[in-house]
Amino acid sequence: MSAVSPNQAQDLAWLLRGLGEEVPVIRGSVLLTSDGMLKAADGFDRASAEQLAALASGLFSIARSAGTKFDGSNEVRQVVTELKSSQLFIAWAGYNSVLAVLAGADADPAVVGFEMARLIKSVRPFLGTAARSAAGTSDPDPSL
């Protein structure tokens, strides 16, 4: 069962679309759970959005591990990856949620980061994802 209803997913896609309209150099964005499941997207077809969600989850996880090892905290503010003709921004977006934004190479990282933070701050309660229980778990057999 999804923590986001279909209406909420549409609302979240609308928020992402607004981010792209606010910062025209943004080519697309995805909101994902911290474990990589797509919650909402704008600017990508479904397959590309799911692939970006999986990649963003992996990069975010690596950054958290680096923070734990070298910074004494697993809190990640933002991961920025500069590609040949694009920039990828990944930020914590609320409980168990991550926002990934793909922008053109000419994007000003300060502007993209600021607008991402502003969006996240203004709607954070709606971006969080409830924790999922592990599949196949059940109460232990008391007779054992």
Side-chain angles (χ1 to χ4, degrees), residues 75-119:
E75 293 180 25
V76 176
R77 292 185 183 145
Q78 189 174 59
V79 177
V80 180
T81 304
E82 187 175 344
L83 306 170
K84 182 179 178 184
S85 61
S86 303
Q87 296 178 62
L88 177 61
F89 301 84
I90 304 165
W92 180 79
Y95 185 76
N96 284 336
S97 293
V98 175
L99 175 62
V101 171
L102 186 67
D106 58 339
D108 181 342
V111 171
V112 175
F114 174 80
E115 291 299 335
M116 287 175 68
R118 190 169 75 138
L119 170 71

mmCIF file of all heavy atoms in Angstrom, residues 75-119:
data_model
loop_
_atom_site.group_PDB
_atom_site.id
_atom_site.type_symbol
_atom_site.label_atom_id
_atom_site.label_comp_id
_atom_site.label_asym_id
_atom_site.label_seq_id
_atom_site.Cartn_x
_atom_site.Cartn_y
_atom_site.Cartn_z
ATOM 1 N N GLU A 75 23.371 13.022 8.434
ATOM 2 C CA GLU A 75 22.528 14.065 7.853
ATOM 3 C C GLU A 75 23.197 14.612 6.593
ATOM 4 O O GLU A 75 24.323 15.089 6.638
ATOM 5 C CB GLU A 75 22.301 15.198 8.847
ATOM 6 C CG GLU A 75 21.467 14.769 10.041
ATOM 7 C CD GLU A 75 21.252 15.912 11.026
ATOM 8 O OE1 GLU A 75 21.317 17.089 10.618
ATOM 9 O OE2 GLU A 75 21.038 15.603 12.202
ATOM 10 N N VAL A 76 22.480 14.529 5.485
ATOM 11 C CA VAL A 76 22.978 15.028 4.210
ATOM 12 C C VAL A 76 22.103 16.202 3.800
ATOM 13 O O VAL A 76 20.890 16.070 3.724
ATOM 14 C CB VAL A 76 22.930 13.932 3.116
ATOM 15 C CG1 VAL A 76 23.356 14.495 1.768
ATOM 16 C CG2 VAL A 76 23.784 12.748 3.514
ATOM 17 N N ARG A 77 22.727 17.326 3.545
ATOM 18 C CA ARG A 77 21.963 18.494 3.087
ATOM 19 C C ARG A 77 21.719 18.412 1.594
ATOM 20 O O ARG A 77 20.617 18.604 1.120
ATOM 21 C CB ARG A 77 22.700 19.778 3.430
ATOM 22 C CG ARG A 77 22.745 20.026 4.912
ATOM 23 C CD ARG A 77 23.371 21.368 5.210
ATOM 24 N NE ARG A 77 23.467 21.526 6.645
ATOM 25 C CZ ARG A 77 24.451 22.137 7.244
ATOM 26 N NH1 ARG A 77 25.437 22.647 6.545
ATOM 27 N NH2 ARG A 77 24.466 22.251 8.553
ATOM 28 N N GLN A 78 22.788 18.149 0.839
ATOM 29 C CA GLN A 78 22.643 18.109 -0.607
ATOM 30 C C GLN A 78 23.815 17.364 -1.224
ATOM 31 O O GLN A 78 24.943 17.454 -0.745
ATOM 32 C CB GLN A 78 22.587 19.537 -1.167
ATOM 33 C CG GLN A 78 22.227 19.612 -2.636
ATOM 34 C CD GLN A 78 22.057 21.041 -3.091
ATOM 35 O OE1 GLN A 78 22.981 21.842 -2.983
ATOM 36 N NE2 GLN A 78 20.876 21.360 -3.586
ATOM 37 N N VAL A 79 23.529 16.643 -2.290
ATOM 38 C CA VAL A 79 24.546 15.994 -3.105
ATOM 39 C C VAL A 79 24.453 16.643 -4.480
ATOM 40 O O VAL A 79 23.367 16.728 -5.057
ATOM 41 C CB VAL A 79 24.282 14.472 -3.232
ATOM 42 C CG1 VAL A 79 25.311 13.822 -4.149
ATOM 43 C CG2 VAL A 79 24.256 13.806 -1.872
ATOM 44 N N VAL A 80 25.569 17.119 -4.987
ATOM 45 C CA VAL A 80 25.585 17.751 -6.304
ATOM 46 C C VAL A 80 26.568 16.977 -7.184
ATOM 47 O O VAL A 80 27.714 16.744 -6.795
ATOM 48 C CB VAL A 80 26.021 19.232 -6.225
ATOM 49 C CG1 VAL A 80 26.040 19.862 -7.614
ATOM 50 C CG2 VAL A 80 25.105 20.001 -5.285
ATOM 51 N N THR A 81 26.088 16.582 -8.352
ATOM 52 C CA THR A 81 26.921 15.851 -9.303
ATOM 53 C C THR A 81 26.964 16.643 -10.601
ATOM 54 O O THR A 81 25.924 16.943 -11.188
ATOM 55 C CB THR A 81 26.330 14.446 -9.568
ATOM 56 O OG1 THR A 81 26.193 13.764 -8.330
ATOM 57 C CG2 THR A 81 27.227 13.649 -10.490
ATOM 58 N N GLU A 82 28.155 16.979 -11.037
ATOM 59 C CA GLU A 82 28.315 17.722 -12.284
ATOM 60 C C GLU A 82 28.641 16.736 -13.396
ATOM 61 O O GLU A 82 29.662 16.054 -13.358
ATOM 62 C CB GLU A 82 29.429 18.759 -12.131
ATOM 63 C CG GLU A 82 29.539 19.680 -13.309
ATOM 64 C CD GLU A 82 30.565 20.774 -13.097
ATOM 65 O OE1 GLU A 82 30.975 21.016 -11.956
ATOM 66 O OE2 GLU A 82 30.952 21.395 -14.104
ATOM 67 N N LEU A 83 27.752 16.657 -14.367
ATOM 68 C CA LEU A 83 27.926 15.778 -15.511
ATOM 69 C C LEU A 83 28.412 16.608 -16.701
ATOM 70 O O LEU A 83 28.597 17.824 -16.573
ATOM 71 C CB LEU A 83 26.599 15.082 -15.823
ATOM 72 C CG LEU A 83 25.970 14.352 -14.628
ATOM 73 C CD1 LEU A 83 24.556 13.917 -14.955
ATOM 74 C CD2 LEU A 83 26.829 13.180 -14.215
ATOM 75 N N LYS A 84 28.613 15.989 -17.853
ATOM 76 C CA LYS A 84 29.123 16.711 -19.012
ATOM 77 C C LYS A 84 28.216 17.873 -19.414
ATOM 78 O O LYS A 84 28.687 18.985 -19.650
ATOM 79 C CB LYS A 84 29.302 15.751 -20.187
ATOM 80 C CG LYS A 84 29.865 16.413 -21.425
ATOM 81 C CD LYS A 84 30.051 15.424 -22.545
ATOM 82 C CE LYS A 84 30.575 16.143 -23.783
ATOM 83 N NZ LYS A 84 30.686 15.226 -24.910
ATOM 84 N N SER A 85 26.910 17.619 -19.507
ATOM 85 C CA SER A 85 26.005 18.681 -19.945
ATOM 86 C C SER A 85 24.818 18.863 -19.004
ATOM 87 O O SER A 85 23.798 19.418 -19.386
ATOM 88 C CB SER A 85 25.506 18.390 -21.365
ATOM 89 O OG SER A 85 24.804 17.167 -21.393
ATOM 90 N N SER A 86 24.967 18.388 -17.769
ATOM 91 C CA SER A 86 23.886 18.498 -16.784
ATOM 92 C C SER A 86 24.473 18.584 -15.386
ATOM 93 O O SER A 86 25.635 18.252 -15.171
ATOM 94 C CB SER A 86 22.971 17.271 -16.846
ATOM 95 O OG SER A 86 22.439 17.077 -18.118
ATOM 96 N N GLN A 87 23.621 18.998 -14.462
ATOM 97 C CA GLN A 87 23.953 18.965 -13.048
ATOM 98 C C GLN A 87 22.812 18.247 -12.336
ATOM 99 O O GLN A 87 21.644 18.508 -12.609
ATOM 100 C CB GLN A 87 24.088 20.378 -12.487
ATOM 101 C CG GLN A 87 25.236 21.167 -13.094
ATOM 102 C CD GLN A 87 25.291 22.564 -12.536
ATOM 103 O OE1 GLN A 87 25.489 22.751 -11.343
ATOM 104 N NE2 GLN A 87 25.101 23.552 -13.393
ATOM 105 N N LEU A 88 23.153 17.365 -11.417
ATOM 106 C CA LEU A 88 22.170 16.618 -10.656
ATOM 107 C C LEU A 88 22.259 17.049 -9.198
ATOM 108 O O LEU A 88 23.332 17.003 -8.591
ATOM 109 C CB LEU A 88 22.428 15.108 -10.770
ATOM 110 C CG LEU A 88 21.535 14.183 -9.968
ATOM 111 C CD1 LEU A 88 20.074 14.333 -10.372
ATOM 112 C CD2 LEU A 88 21.995 12.734 -10.142
ATOM 113 N N PHE A 89 21.132 17.493 -8.656
ATOM 114 C CA PHE A 89 21.040 17.940 -7.272
ATOM 115 C C PHE A 89 20.132 16.980 -6.523
ATOM 116 O O PHE A 89 19.023 16.688 -6.977
ATOM 117 C CB PHE A 89 20.441 19.349 -7.195
ATOM 118 C CG PHE A 89 21.234 20.377 -7.941
ATOM 119 C CD1 PHE A 89 21.055 20.566 -9.303
ATOM 120 C CD2 PHE A 89 22.157 21.169 -7.278
ATOM 121 C CE1 PHE A 89 21.779 21.528 -10.000
ATOM 122 C CE2 PHE A 89 22.885 22.132 -7.966
ATOM 123 C CZ PHE A 89 22.700 22.305 -9.329
ATOM 124 N N ILE A 90 20.584 16.511 -5.367
ATOM 125 C CA ILE A 90 19.802 15.574 -4.556
ATOM 126 C C ILE A 90 19.774 16.107 -3.133
ATOM 127 O O ILE A 90 20.826 16.416 -2.566
ATOM 128 C CB ILE A 90 20.433 14.164 -4.583
ATOM 129 C CG1 ILE A 90 20.584 13.671 -6.027
ATOM 130 C CG2 ILE A 90 19.606 13.188 -3.768
ATOM 131 C CD1 ILE A 90 21.502 12.483 -6.181
ATOM 132 N N ALA A 91 18.574 16.220 -2.563
ATOM 133 C CA ALA A 91 18.446 16.794 -1.220
ATOM 134 C C ALA A 91 17.425 16.028 -0.403
ATOM 135 O O ALA A 91 16.433 15.516 -0.939
ATOM 136 C CB ALA A 91 18.036 18.263 -1.311
ATOM 137 N N TRP A 92 17.657 15.984 0.904
ATOM 138 C CA TRP A 92 16.689 15.424 1.845
ATOM 139 C C TRP A 92 15.435 16.281 1.778
ATOM 140 O O TRP A 92 15.506 17.503 1.783
ATOM 141 C CB TRP A 92 17.280 15.420 3.246
ATOM 142 C CG TRP A 92 16.388 14.872 4.290
ATOM 143 C CD1 TRP A 92 16.143 13.556 4.548
ATOM 144 C CD2 TRP A 92 15.625 15.607 5.241
ATOM 145 N NE1 TRP A 92 15.273 13.433 5.592
ATOM 146 C CE2 TRP A 92 14.929 14.677 6.044
ATOM 147 C CE3 TRP A 92 15.445 16.958 5.492
ATOM 148 C CZ2 TRP A 92 14.089 15.056 7.076
ATOM 149 C CZ3 TRP A 92 14.606 17.339 6.517
ATOM 150 C CH2 TRP A 92 13.936 16.392 7.305
ATOM 151 N N ALA A 93 14.262 15.623 1.707
ATOM 152 C CA ALA A 93 13.025 16.380 1.519
ATOM 153 C C ALA A 93 12.000 16.138 2.619
ATOM 154 O O ALA A 93 10.856 16.528 2.485
ATOM 155 C CB ALA A 93 12.411 16.023 0.164
ATOM 156 N N GLY A 94 12.386 15.507 3.693
ATOM 157 C CA GLY A 94 11.448 15.180 4.758
ATOM 158 C C GLY A 94 11.663 13.739 5.165
ATOM 159 O O GLY A 94 12.469 13.021 4.572
ATOM 160 N N TYR A 95 10.924 13.306 6.146
ATOM 161 C CA TYR A 95 11.102 11.962 6.672
ATOM 162 C C TYR A 95 11.012 10.924 5.547
ATOM 163 O O TYR A 95 9.995 10.827 4.858
ATOM 164 C CB TYR A 95 10.050 11.687 7.751
ATOM 165 C CG TYR A 95 10.247 10.352 8.425
ATOM 166 C CD1 TYR A 95 11.253 10.189 9.353
ATOM 167 C CD2 TYR A 95 9.454 9.273 8.098
ATOM 168 C CE1 TYR A 95 11.457 8.970 9.955
ATOM 169 C CE2 TYR A 95 9.647 8.045 8.695
ATOM 170 C CZ TYR A 95 10.658 7.899 9.631
ATOM 171 O OH TYR A 95 10.866 6.683 10.219
ATOM 172 N N ASN A 96 12.081 10.169 5.342
ATOM 173 C CA ASN A 96 12.172 9.108 4.328
ATOM 174 C C ASN A 96 11.949 9.599 2.902
ATOM 175 O O ASN A 96 11.552 8.817 2.042
ATOM 176 C CB ASN A 96 11.207 7.960 4.633
ATOM 177 C CG ASN A 96 11.693 7.078 5.751
ATOM 178 O OD1 ASN A 96 12.886 7.004 6.026
ATOM 179 N ND2 ASN A 96 10.779 6.408 6.411
ATOM 180 N N SER A 97 12.166 10.861 2.613
ATOM 181 C CA SER A 97 11.951 11.392 1.267
ATOM 182 C C SER A 97 13.166 12.169 0.774
ATOM 183 O O SER A 97 13.865 12.808 1.552
ATOM 184 C CB SER A 97 10.735 12.316 1.238
ATOM 185 O OG SER A 97 9.557 11.581 1.461
ATOM 186 N N VAL A 98 13.361 12.098 -0.543
ATOM 187 C CA VAL A 98 14.494 12.750 -1.194
ATOM 188 C C VAL A 98 13.973 13.435 -2.458
ATOM 189 O O VAL A 98 13.101 12.900 -3.149
ATOM 190 C CB VAL A 98 15.577 11.699 -1.549
ATOM 191 C CG1 VAL A 98 16.718 12.309 -2.342
ATOM 192 C CG2 VAL A 98 16.098 11.009 -0.290
ATOM 193 N N LEU A 99 14.512 14.598 -2.765
ATOM 194 C CA LEU A 99 14.183 15.321 -3.985
ATOM 195 C C LEU A 99 15.415 15.334 -4.872
ATOM 196 O O LEU A 99 16.503 15.705 -4.417
ATOM 197 C CB LEU A 99 13.759 16.758 -3.656
ATOM 198 C CG LEU A 99 13.485 17.687 -4.841
ATOM 199 C CD1 LEU A 99 12.324 17.183 -5.686
ATOM 200 C CD2 LEU A 99 13.226 19.110 -4.344
ATOM 201 N N ALA A 100 15.249 14.915 -6.126
ATOM 202 C CA ALA A 100 16.338 14.948 -7.100
ATOM 203 C C ALA A 100 15.930 15.845 -8.257
ATOM 204 O O ALA A 100 14.815 15.741 -8.771
ATOM 205 C CB ALA A 100 16.651 13.547 -7.608
ATOM 206 N N VAL A 101 16.844 16.727 -8.661
ATOM 207 C CA VAL A 101 16.577 17.686 -9.726
ATOM 208 C C VAL A 101 17.722 17.608 -10.737
ATOM 209 O O VAL A 101 18.889 17.692 -10.363
ATOM 210 C CB VAL A 101 16.463 19.116 -9.148
ATOM 211 C CG1 VAL A 101 16.403 20.145 -10.261
ATOM 212 C CG2 VAL A 101 15.251 19.228 -8.240
ATOM 213 N N LEU A 102 17.357 17.468 -12.009
ATOM 214 C CA LEU A 102 18.340 17.488 -13.086
ATOM 215 C C LEU A 102 18.230 18.825 -13.797
ATOM 216 O O LEU A 102 17.150 19.196 -14.268
ATOM 217 C CB LEU A 102 18.083 16.339 -14.070
ATOM 218 C CG LEU A 102 19.122 16.167 -15.171
ATOM 219 C CD1 LEU A 102 20.464 15.728 -14.578
ATOM 220 C CD2 LEU A 102 18.641 15.156 -16.204
ATOM 221 N N ALA A 103 19.339 19.549 -13.844
ATOM 222 C CA ALA A 103 19.361 20.876 -14.460
ATOM 223 C C ALA A 103 20.428 20.908 -15.546
ATOM 224 O O ALA A 103 21.320 20.059 -15.592
ATOM 225 C CB ALA A 103 19.658 21.940 -13.404
ATOM 226 N N GLY A 104 20.326 21.903 -16.404
ATOM 227 C CA GLY A 104 21.312 22.078 -17.454
ATOM 228 C C GLY A 104 22.670 22.454 -16.893
ATOM 229 O O GLY A 104 22.793 22.891 -15.750
ATOM 230 N N ALA A 105 23.695 22.307 -17.715
ATOM 231 C CA ALA A 105 25.065 22.606 -17.285
ATOM 232 C C ALA A 105 25.244 24.075 -16.925
ATOM 233 O O ALA A 105 26.085 24.414 -16.099
ATOM 234 C CB ALA A 105 26.058 22.220 -18.380
ATOM 235 N N ASP A 106 24.431 24.943 -17.523
ATOM 236 C CA ASP A 106 24.555 26.381 -17.266
ATOM 237 C C ASP A 106 23.792 26.833 -16.029
ATOM 238 O O ASP A 106 23.768 28.024 -15.714
ATOM 239 C CB ASP A 106 24.097 27.175 -18.483
ATOM 240 C CG ASP A 106 22.657 26.858 -18.882
ATOM 241 O OD1 ASP A 106 22.147 25.784 -18.511
ATOM 242 O OD2 ASP A 106 22.044 27.689 -19.587
ATOM 243 N N ALA A 107 23.188 25.910 -15.302
ATOM 244 C CA ALA A 107 22.423 26.268 -14.101
ATOM 245 C C ALA A 107 23.351 26.813 -13.019
ATOM 246 O O ALA A 107 24.472 26.328 -12.845
ATOM 247 C CB ALA A 107 21.680 25.046 -13.571
ATOM 248 N N ASP A 108 22.881 27.805 -12.302
ATOM 249 C CA ASP A 108 23.607 28.337 -11.151
ATOM 250 C C ASP A 108 23.270 27.445 -9.958
ATOM 251 O O ASP A 108 22.120 27.416 -9.511
ATOM 252 C CB ASP A 108 23.168 29.774 -10.897
ATOM 253 C CG ASP A 108 23.902 30.421 -9.733
ATOM 254 O OD1 ASP A 108 24.495 29.707 -8.900
ATOM 255 O OD2 ASP A 108 23.861 31.663 -9.652
ATOM 256 N N PRO A 109 24.238 26.696 -9.430
ATOM 257 C CA PRO A 109 23.953 25.780 -8.323
ATOM 258 C C PRO A 109 23.336 26.466 -7.112
ATOM 259 O O PRO A 109 22.496 25.880 -6.429
ATOM 260 C CB PRO A 109 25.327 25.196 -7.970
ATOM 261 C CG PRO A 109 26.150 25.381 -9.189
ATOM 262 C CD PRO A 109 25.640 26.630 -9.854
ATOM 263 N N ALA A 110 23.721 27.710 -6.857
ATOM 264 C CA ALA A 110 23.155 28.433 -5.712
ATOM 265 C C ALA A 110 21.666 28.683 -5.912
ATOM 266 O O ALA A 110 20.875 28.544 -4.971
ATOM 267 C CB ALA A 110 23.891 29.758 -5.503
ATOM 268 N N VAL A 111 21.253 29.007 -7.121
ATOM 269 C CA VAL A 111 19.844 29.266 -7.400
ATOM 270 C C VAL A 111 19.040 27.974 -7.313
ATOM 271 O O VAL A 111 17.981 27.929 -6.678
ATOM 272 C CB VAL A 111 19.667 29.938 -8.782
ATOM 273 C CG1 VAL A 111 18.199 30.005 -9.175
ATOM 274 C CG2 VAL A 111 20.293 31.321 -8.784
ATOM 275 N N VAL A 112 19.541 26.914 -7.940
ATOM 276 C CA VAL A 112 18.825 25.634 -7.911
ATOM 277 C C VAL A 112 18.714 25.132 -6.474
ATOM 278 O O VAL A 112 17.634 24.739 -6.025
ATOM 279 C CB VAL A 112 19.503 24.582 -8.809
ATOM 280 C CG1 VAL A 112 18.813 23.224 -8.678
ATOM 281 C CG2 VAL A 112 19.491 25.034 -10.272
ATOM 282 N N GLY A 113 19.808 25.159 -5.732
ATOM 283 C CA GLY A 113 19.792 24.714 -4.339
ATOM 284 C C GLY A 113 18.856 25.537 -3.481
ATOM 285 O O GLY A 113 18.110 24.990 -2.653
ATOM 286 N N PHE A 114 18.862 26.847 -3.679
ATOM 287 C CA PHE A 114 17.979 27.726 -2.911
ATOM 288 C C PHE A 114 16.515 27.419 -3.203
ATOM 289 O O PHE A 114 15.697 27.310 -2.283
ATOM 290 C CB PHE A 114 18.289 29.197 -3.236
ATOM 291 C CG PHE A 114 17.325 30.157 -2.591
ATOM 292 C CD1 PHE A 114 17.466 30.499 -1.256
ATOM 293 C CD2 PHE A 114 16.272 30.699 -3.313
ATOM 294 C CE1 PHE A 114 16.573 31.373 -0.648
ATOM 295 C CE2 PHE A 114 15.374 31.577 -2.720
ATOM 296 C CZ PHE A 114 15.523 31.916 -1.380
ATOM 297 N N GLU A 115 16.162 27.269 -4.466
ATOM 298 C CA GLU A 115 14.765 27.008 -4.831
ATOM 299 C C GLU A 115 14.316 25.623 -4.362
ATOM 300 O O GLU A 115 13.170 25.447 -3.948
ATOM 301 C CB GLU A 115 14.548 27.180 -6.330
ATOM 302 C CG GLU A 115 14.668 28.609 -6.800
ATOM 303 C CD GLU A 115 13.654 29.565 -6.178
ATOM 304 O OE1 GLU A 115 12.577 29.133 -5.742
ATOM 305 O OE2 GLU A 115 13.958 30.778 -6.122
ATOM 306 N N MET A 116 15.211 24.655 -4.406
ATOM 307 C CA MET A 116 14.879 23.325 -3.866
ATOM 308 C C MET A 116 14.601 23.430 -2.369
ATOM 309 O O MET A 116 13.608 22.896 -1.875
ATOM 310 C CB MET A 116 16.027 22.342 -4.117
ATOM 311 C CG MET A 116 16.169 21.883 -5.544
ATOM 312 S SD MET A 116 17.644 20.844 -5.789
ATOM 313 C CE MET A 116 17.203 19.372 -4.853
ATOM 314 N N ALA A 117 15.476 24.120 -1.655
ATOM 315 C CA ALA A 117 15.312 24.268 -0.203
ATOM 316 C C ALA A 117 14.037 25.019 0.132
ATOM 317 O O ALA A 117 13.322 24.673 1.083
ATOM 318 C CB ALA A 117 16.528 24.984 0.389
ATOM 319 N N ARG A 118 13.728 26.034 -0.660
ATOM 320 C CA ARG A 118 12.509 26.813 -0.422
ATOM 321 C C ARG A 118 11.263 25.951 -0.621
ATOM 322 O O ARG A 118 10.338 25.985 0.193
ATOM 323 C CB ARG A 118 12.485 28.013 -1.351
ATOM 324 C CG ARG A 118 11.387 29.010 -1.027
ATOM 325 C CD ARG A 118 11.580 30.269 -1.800
ATOM 326 N NE ARG A 118 11.194 30.055 -3.188
ATOM 327 C CZ ARG A 118 10.504 30.932 -3.893
ATOM 328 N NH1 ARG A 118 10.165 32.086 -3.371
ATOM 329 N NH2 ARG A 118 10.187 30.682 -5.134
ATOM 330 N N LEU A 119 11.246 25.140 -1.675
ATOM 331 C CA LEU A 119 10.119 24.234 -1.913
ATOM 332 C C LEU A 119 9.986 23.236 -0.778
ATOM 333 O O LEU A 119 8.906 23.041 -0.222
ATOM 334 C CB LEU A 119 10.283 23.497 -3.242
ATOM 335 C CG LEU A 119 9.294 22.366 -3.481
ATOM 336 C CD1 LEU A 119 7.901 22.917 -3.731
ATOM 337 C CD2 LEU A 119 9.732 21.484 -4.620
#
